[in-house]
Amino acid sequence: DAGVIQSPRHEVTEMGQEVTLRCKPISGHNSLFWYRQTMMRGLELLIYFNNNVPIDDSGMPEDRFSAKMPNASFSTLKIQPSEPRDSAVYFCASSLEGYEQFFGPGTRLTVL
Amino acid sequence: AQKITQTQPGMFVQEKEAVTLDCTYDTSDPSYGLFWYKQPSSGEMIFLIYQGSYDQQNATEGRYSLNFQKARKSANLVISASQLGDSAMYFCAMREGPHNFNKFYFGSGTKLNVKP
């Protein structure tokens, strides 16, 4: 099993640019989660999906953030326009029926 | 109120000794799950152990055990025979509700340093 796949692993962009982070969950998992981790705030849940449907997006910081899951094997997190305070590591995780989450390797985003 | 509280920002333990990392949780839902994750300096999040709210026995996985005290709402992680490779951040997490609801909450973490 390939595990959760995230791309890109590193992203450096300039303020104002659009950023798209991608995630492929583990095959067969029915829940997908997007997290953001910073030193100041720790690990924050941004949004999660059940069976491709967004269930709770209360953690999405602003309208600049949006997430989609068009099918069971793919999700995107988009930031438009990006700001320096969005710099963080963004994790995607998937799980089956509420058991343990398996995390991807993360995307380290730097917004200059 | 915080759903998951980890009161130890950092801890030291001597190699080969046992260490307990504290975690308390807050929920009124009778169905929930408790998890521990390890995050080494390389950054990946590694699942360690799971305890369901209806499980009668404490969960164990190798050198990891979860000291589940339901009445006190605590789910402490015990690592026996610490190894240098155990140095990492440890996060306690809770899934609130039954399995088809997946609201997860993470604590702020405990940084464990194992001394040789």
Side-chain angles (χ1 to χ4, degrees), chain B residues 20-47:
Chain B
T20 298
L21 306 184
D22 294 341
C23 173
T24 57
Y25 59 93
D26 181 29
T27 182
S28 57
D29 199 307
S31 179
Y32 53 90
L34 298 159
F35 306 78
W36 278 92
Y37 288 83
K38 172 183 178 182
Q39 187 176 41
S41 58
S42 51
E44 71 267 35
M45 293 284 283
I46 302 166
F47 165 74

Side-chain angles (χ1 to χ4, degrees), chain A residues 31 37 50 56 97-98 101, chain B residues 37 39 95 99 102-104:
Chain A
S31 298
Q37 187 176 36
N50 245 19
D56 188 336
E97 299 298 334
Q101 297 183 18
Chain B
Y37 288 83
Q39 187 176 41
R95 182 208 70 243
H99 290 282
N102 283 306
K103 185 75 174 182
F104 273 77

Side-chain angles (χ1 to χ4, degrees), chain B residues 6 9 41 43 50 74 79 81 85-86 105 114:
Chain B
Q6 293 181 255
S41 58
Y50 165 80
S74 80
I79 305 174
D86 294 334
Y105 301 89
V114 180

Side-chain angles (χ1 to χ4, degrees), chain B residues 34-36 47-69 75-79:
Chain B
L34 298 159
F35 306 78
W36 278 92
F47 165 74
L48 296 178
I49 196 166
Y50 165 80
Q51 179 88 40
S53 59
Y54 295 117
D55 294 344
Q56 296 295 315
Q57 297 200 348
N58 287 344
T60 60
E61 289 286 347
R63 293 186 300 110
Y64 303 108
S65 60
L66 198 151
N67 185 0
F68 182 43
Q69 297 189 38
N76 298 339
L77 177 70
V78 181
I79 305 174

Side-chain angles (χ1 to χ4, degrees), chain A residues 56-101:
Chain A
D56 188 336
D57 65 354
S58 58
M60 297 285 260
E62 302 170 32
D63 291 346
R64 299 184 296 107
F65 285 70
S66 63
K68 293 182 180 179
M69 192 164 185
N71 58 61
S73 59
F74 184 66
S75 177
T76 60
L77 178 68
K78 185 178 292 186
I79 308 172
Q80 179 186 22
S82 58
E83 296 183 5
R85 60 193 166 120
D86 301 331
S87 297
V89 178
Y90 290 80
F91 286 103
C92 174
S94 70
S95 77
L96 177 62
E97 299 298 334
Y99 287 103
E100 68 268 25
Q101 297 183 18

